[in-house]
Amino acid sequence: MSFVDAQGELIGSEVRDNDYGVTIAGKSDVRVEGNVIANNLYDAVVVQAGAKGTVLRNRLVKNGGTIAVQGGAQVEQADNTVPSAP
């Protein structure tokens, strides 16, 4: 799921089996809340330079990385969970 120069919300969804889970780029301002983001090859969430994101209460499962914040990005993040492997 990619947001480029957009405002929006991704709430209560499942994002799985992609290269990256959620990418927020350009001049976007996006809220990502209460999702399951799983089985993505690289990071679960990427907020690129210049973008704004709010990343709250997501479950990040078996991704190549968790939340990547590039320099110049503005991000509020809290209460995201990364379950440990059994």
Side-chain angles (χ1 to χ4, degrees), residues 10-56:
L10 180 64
I11 298 176
S13 297
E14 287 192 19
V15 178
R16 51 177 72 241
D17 302 317
N18 299 292
D19 285 343
Y20 291 91
V22 178
T23 302
I24 303 170
K27 296 179 181 179
S28 295
D29 188 354
V30 176
R31 181 178 196 86
V32 179
E33 183 175 354
N35 302 289
V36 175
I37 303 173
N39 300 327
N40 296 290
L41 188 58
Y42 303 109
D43 294 305
V45 179
V46 178
V47 185
Q48 295 182 353
K52 296 178 185 176
T54 302
V55 184
L56 302 172

